[in-house]
């Protein structure tokens, strides 16, 4: 009887350990993608240096080029091939999809919004009042900012794929040293 109870207890511990390991792997994949999103968003923050030098206004003039830089940086940061598949298959299974990329330029109290799909096609251009516009992840847009969202797949228990998404926004703020 003790042998049966010990085997049952061992089996339960083994199941819990496998579940925790898989959960840790999924959390690691999420952190990996989030870090890559942040780095890629920052890489695409191509402000107009001439305008900044003249007026200290931080804006992304060429949003199409900013998207291209974002896409290239994301592919590099996630080690993706040309089709969007990761070389790190233990973390990301299947294709990584760029779902949305949005540039928010804040100029004189107005927010100019330019949104792109995963292929780099401009979906919309609109504007709003500064202080009333939020990114899809809920961040209030007070300064020029970049937002992106990607979809990806991770392997769950028993070889089942789990679809996931990550989104991130970063704002670009002029640093003033008041010393």
């Amino acid at each position: 009887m003790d042998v049966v109870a010990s085997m049952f207890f061992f089996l339960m511990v083994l199941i819990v350990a496998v579940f925790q390991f898989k959960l840790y792997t999924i959390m690691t994949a999420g952190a990996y993608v989030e870090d890559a999103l942040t780095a890629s968003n920052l890489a695409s923050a191509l402000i107009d240096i001439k305008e900044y030098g003249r007026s200290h206004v931080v804006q992304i003039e060429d949003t199409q080029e900013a998207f291209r830089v974002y896409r290239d940086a994301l592919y590099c940061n996630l080690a993706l091939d040309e089709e969007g598949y990761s070389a790190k298959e233990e973390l990301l299974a299947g294709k990584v999809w760029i779902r949305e990329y949005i540039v928010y330029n804040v100029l004189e109290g107005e927010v100019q919004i330019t949104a792109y799909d995963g292929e780099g096609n401009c979906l919309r251009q609109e504007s709003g009042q500064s202080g009333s516009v939020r990114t899809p992840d809920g961040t209030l847009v007070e300064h020029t900012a970049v937002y992106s969202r990607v979809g990806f797949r991770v392997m769950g228990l028993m070889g089942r794929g789990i679809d996931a998404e990550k989104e991130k926004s970063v704002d670009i703020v002029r640093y003033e040293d008041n010393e």
Side-chain angles (χ1 to χ4, degrees):
M1 187 68 167
D2 287 338
V3 173
V4 173
S6 296
M7 288 177 62
F8 179 73
F9 179 72
F10 176 74
L11 184 61
M12 293 303 291
V13 168
L14 183 64
I15 290 171
V16 169
V18 167
F19 180 75
Q20 284 185 326
F21 176 74
K22 200 44 112 168
L23 186 60
Y24 173 76
T25 303
I26 292 170
M27 289 173 50
T28 301
Y32 174 65
V33 171
E34 189 168 346
D35 288 348
L37 277 179
T38 302
S40 302
N41 283 351
L42 289 171
S44 72
L46 305 171
I47 68 167
D48 184 345
I49 300 296
K50 289 180 184 176
E51 181 63 37
Y52 180 75
R54 279 194 297 269
S55 64
H56 296 293
V57 170
V58 176
Q59 70 176 342
I60 299 171
E61 184 68 31
D62 188 350
T63 58
Q64 185 74 44
E65 178 63 18
F67 173 80
R68 281 192 291 276
V69 169
Y70 165 78
R71 183 187 56 221
D72 293 346
L74 184 70
Y75 274 51
C76 180
N77 291 330
L78 290 177
L80 303 178
D81 64 14
E82 296 82 28
E83 285 86 38
Y85 291 91
S86 177
K88 300 187 178 202
E89 293 176 356
E90 66 278 3
L91 290 178
L92 303 175
K95 189 171 183 173
V96 175
W97 298 92
I98 298 173
R99 300 284 189 209
E100 192 171 26
Y101 177 82
I102 306 174
V103 175
Y104 298 89
N105 276 315
V106 178
L107 305 165
E108 299 175 3
E110 183 181 43
V111 181
Q112 297 171 348
I113 304 162
T114 308
Y116 293 93
D117 66 9
E119 301 298 315
N121 301 312
C122 185
L123 296 174
R124 67 183 189 282
Q125 290 183 314
E126 55 193 31
S127 62
Q129 287 297 106
S130 183
S132 65
V133 175
R134 292 190 178 274
T135 62
D137 66 354
T139 303
L140 181 64
V141 177
E142 297 176 307
H143 306 281
T144 295
V146 174
Y147 164 86
S148 66
R149 180 171 53 97
V150 297
F152 57 98
R153 179 172 277 225
V154 293
M155 291 309 289
L157 291 174
M158 296 184 287
R160 296 186 117 193
I162 300 170
D163 292 329
E165 285 190 344
K166 277 289 184 181
E167 60 186 347
K168 192 70 176 173
S169 59
V170 297
D171 58 348
I172 307 145
V173 181
R174 179 177 160 223
Y175 176 73
E176 296 181 33
D177 191 0
N178 295 326
E179 292 181 34

